[in-house]
């Protein structure tokens, strides 16, 4: 089987590429930087295509006759840093994603497996766990990244109604795992823990999943899911206290013991954001990220277990492998 993978240097994409190589797929990988590609997927038997989602038409012909397009690239981690990101979010996550899918169909790709996020799923207020039917409207999004993904999903569904190419969408929870070089928010959280920068916990609740399990589900989706299907990939609902406890166990580093009232955390995060803007620096956590961590939304990854026959590995294994990857790559203490 031949695959074209976008975002091959990212947390999800690099793990997906590794798994596809293990399964003996022929792979072309879209990367923006040859140097980063060498670091993340160097030595693997793949064809590297240099290109940017900002100008899809320039490189889309490389998808010719691939069986599957795995689309993981997105304007994502930059969003939680300061600046106005809407133009890039809309261009990469909506307009050019649709353009990519149009060109994939034109170049004979057989199926698309697209990466959305469980952030596009609405929190249920009856206390039940949300599932794939709880699709948000753009005005319900907690931040601009979520909004771009919600609109992206809506546009993909409109596109799918008019086109024949089957599109399966996966909606991962907060992903952890080895290979988070950039790093994304989860990787930064682990690195901050390792360098003892996290002051304490607060009442939080977030769904998490291992990026390698997401990669596995995407391959299963490519093999067996029918077009139009959507799968939340969410393994565990956890919070800061549990994450600190596991990280302490797997890293040997003492976690923070303090716990702060949520109102104080919001005030201090908001204040630090203002100071960071004034000093032209970044903060460790933005108010947007805090909102996601304290929403206490739960999403169900059961449909993927049932239909794609995947299993989610223990959270402790995920955190241990993440810490080990950072230490091996000189990024963690
Ligand atoms: N991480 C999470 O917790 C999470 C949760 C749910 C859904 N998701 C979704 O999962 C997907 C993968 O995210 P990730 O966690 O793997 O993030 P990541 O590590 O930041 O990877 C993103 C990838 O997209 C590439 N990319 C970004 N902008 C691009 C552009 N303009 N042109 C070409 N490539 C571009 C990046 O290239 P560079 O390496 O050159 O930057 C990188 O390879 C995204 O669609 C994201 O929305 C992530």
């Amino acid at each position: 089987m031949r695959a074209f993978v976008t975002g091959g240097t990212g947390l999800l994409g690099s793990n997906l590429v590794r798994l596809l190589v293990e399964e003996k797929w022929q792979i072309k990988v879209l990367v923006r930087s040859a140097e980063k590609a060498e670091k993340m997927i160097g030595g693997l038997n793949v064809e590297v295509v240099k290109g940017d989602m900002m100008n899809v038409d320039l490189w889309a012909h490389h998808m010719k006759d691939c069986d599957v397009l795995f689309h993981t690239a997105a304007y994502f981690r930059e969003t939680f840093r300061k600046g106005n990101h809407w133009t890039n979010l809309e261009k990469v996550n909506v307009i050019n994603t649709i353009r990519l899918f149009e060109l994939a169909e034109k170049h004979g790709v057989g199926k698309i497996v697209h990466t959305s996020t469980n952030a596009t799923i609405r929190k249920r207020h009856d206390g039940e766990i949300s599932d794939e039917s709880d699709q948000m409207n753009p005005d319900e999004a907690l931040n601009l990244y979520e909004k771009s993904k919600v609109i992206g999903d809506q546009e993909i569904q409109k596109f799918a109604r008019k086109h024949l190419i089957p599109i399966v969408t996966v909606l991962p929870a907060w992903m952890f795992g080895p290979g988070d070089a950039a790093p994304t928010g989860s990787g930064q959280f682990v690195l901050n823990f390792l360098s003892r920068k996290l002051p304490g916990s607060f009442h939080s609740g977030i769904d998490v999943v291992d990026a390698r399990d997401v990669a596995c589900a995407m391959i299963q989706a490519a093999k067996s899911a029918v077009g139009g299907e959507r799968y939340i990939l969410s393994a565990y609902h956890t919070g800061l206290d549990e994450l600190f406890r596991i990280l302490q166990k797997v890293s040997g580093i003492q976690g923070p013991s303090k716990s702060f009232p949520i109102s104080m955390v919001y005030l201090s995060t908001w204040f630090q954001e203002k100071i960071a803007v004034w000093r032209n620096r970044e903060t460790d956590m933005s108010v947007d990220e805090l909102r996601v961590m304290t929403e206490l939304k739960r999403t169900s990854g059961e449909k993927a277990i049932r239909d794609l026959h995947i299993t989610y590995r223990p959270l402790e294994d995920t955190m241990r492998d993440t810490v080990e990857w950072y230490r091996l790559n000189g990024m963690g203490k």
Side-chain angles (χ1 to χ4, degrees):
M1 295 275 277
R2 285 159 302 179
F4 191 94
V5 181
T6 68
T9 49
L11 165 62
L12 174 58
S14 61
N15 282 295
L16 176 61
V17 167
R18 250 164 239 288
L19 205 55
L20 288 167
V21 168
E22 274 172 33
E23 291 202 5
K24 309 269 184 278
W25 287 56
Q26 275 175 260
I27 312 158
K28 291 183 193 176
V29 187
L30 181 78
V31 304
R32 289 194 287 190
S33 145
E35 204 185 343
K36 190 167 178 195
E38 183 52 35
K39 183 176 167 207
M40 298 304 296
I41 50 172
L44 295 178
N45 183 20
V46 300
E47 185 183 330
V48 169
V49 174
K50 241 185 122 190
D52 198 304
M53 280 298 295
M54 296 305 269
N55 44 34
V56 176
D57 287 61
L58 291 185
W59 49 265
H61 58 278
H62 288 282
M63 293 189 286
K64 191 167 169 36
D65 295 332
C66 282
D67 299 296
V68 184
L69 162 65
F70 292 98
H71 183 39
T72 78
Y75 194 82
F76 164 53
R77 55 176 197 268
E78 300 88 343
T79 319
F80 296 102
R81 307 278 73 96
K82 66 183 162 42
N84 182 352
H85 300 282
W86 182 248
T87 308
N88 289 337
L89 281 167
E90 190 180 34
K91 181 97 176 160
V92 175
N93 298 355
V94 184
I95 299 167
N96 284 1
T97 288
I98 296 297
R99 181 68 186 146
L100 177 70
F101 292 3
E102 270 167 15
L103 292 171
E105 186 173 49
K106 178 178 161 204
H107 289 296
V109 172
K111 194 180 215 177
I112 296 170
V113 181
H114 170 65
T115 322
S116 179
T117 162
N118 79 337
T120 64
I121 297 294
R122 174 187 297 127
K123 178 180 175 176
R124 281 200 190 162
H125 292 288
D126 57 5
E128 293 295 312
I129 299 177
S130 307
D131 65 24
E132 287 80 357
S133 65
D134 295 302
Q135 226 176 317
M136 251 185 209
N137 294 318
D139 58 3
E140 295 171 277
L142 292 183
N143 53 58
L144 289 180
Y145 162 69
E146 279 188 20
K147 184 175 172 182
S148 75
K149 289 292 221 182
V150 172
I151 298 175
D153 284 7
Q154 289 180 340
E155 292 302 313
I156 289 168
Q157 284 163 341
K158 273 190 219 158
F159 173 90
R161 284 197 283 276
K162 294 189 212 133
H163 294 256
L164 291 176
I165 185 165
I167 305 172
V168 182
T169 300
V170 295
L171 302 102
W174 203 28
M175 279 190 282
F176 284 84
D180 191 1
T184 67
S186 68
Q188 190 60 58
F189 170 78
V190 172
L191 289 170
N192 287 346
F193 179 93
L194 295 177
S195 53
R196 298 180 167 85
K197 273 174 77 181
L198 298 174
S201 74
F202 49 85
H203 185 49
S204 56
I206 189 130
D207 288 343
V208 296
V209 66
D210 191 302
R212 294 165 296 182
D213 295 337
V214 175
C216 178
M218 291 179 81
I219 297 176
Q220 279 307 114
K223 289 177 182 165
S224 64
V226 297
E229 285 294 355
R230 292 162 50 81
Y231 296 99
I232 293 173
L233 301 169
S234 172
Y236 304 103
H237 186 72
T238 183
L240 284 181
D241 287 332
E242 186 182 22
L243 289 172
F244 286 159
R245 187 179 50 69
I246 296 175
L247 279 170
Q248 179 168 319
K249 183 172 175 199
V250 301
S251 70
I253 290 177
Q254 179 74 41
S257 54
K258 284 190 191 141
S259 185
F260 299 101
I262 199 68
S263 52
M264 187 197 271
V265 178
Y266 263 98
L267 195 64
S268 125
T269 308
W270 179 85
F271 198 60
Q272 280 172 35
E273 228 178 48
K274 295 285 165 213
I275 294 178
V277 170
W278 181 59
R279 286 184 167 173
N280 201 21
R281 296 225 180 107
E282 296 291 356
T283 49
D284 283 332
M285 184 167 61
S286 64
V287 173
D288 274 355
E289 285 170 298
L290 184 59
R291 243 184 240 130
V292 174
M293 294 191 78
T294 53
E295 192 194 7
L296 310 181
K297 178 173 76 182
R298 300 191 65 167
T299 57
S300 167
E302 287 297 315
K303 180 180 171 190
I305 296 178
R306 211 174 46 238
D307 291 6
L308 301 177
H309 310 293
I310 56 155
T311 50
Y312 296 115
R313 74 195 68 204
L315 185 52
E316 194 172 309
D317 291 3
T318 301
M319 302 315 268
R320 180 178 297 105
D321 295 348
T322 305
V323 168
E324 260 174 31
W325 190 86
Y326 280 131
R327 285 179 168 163
L328 273 173
N329 286 275
M331 292 173 79
K333 301 243 158 101

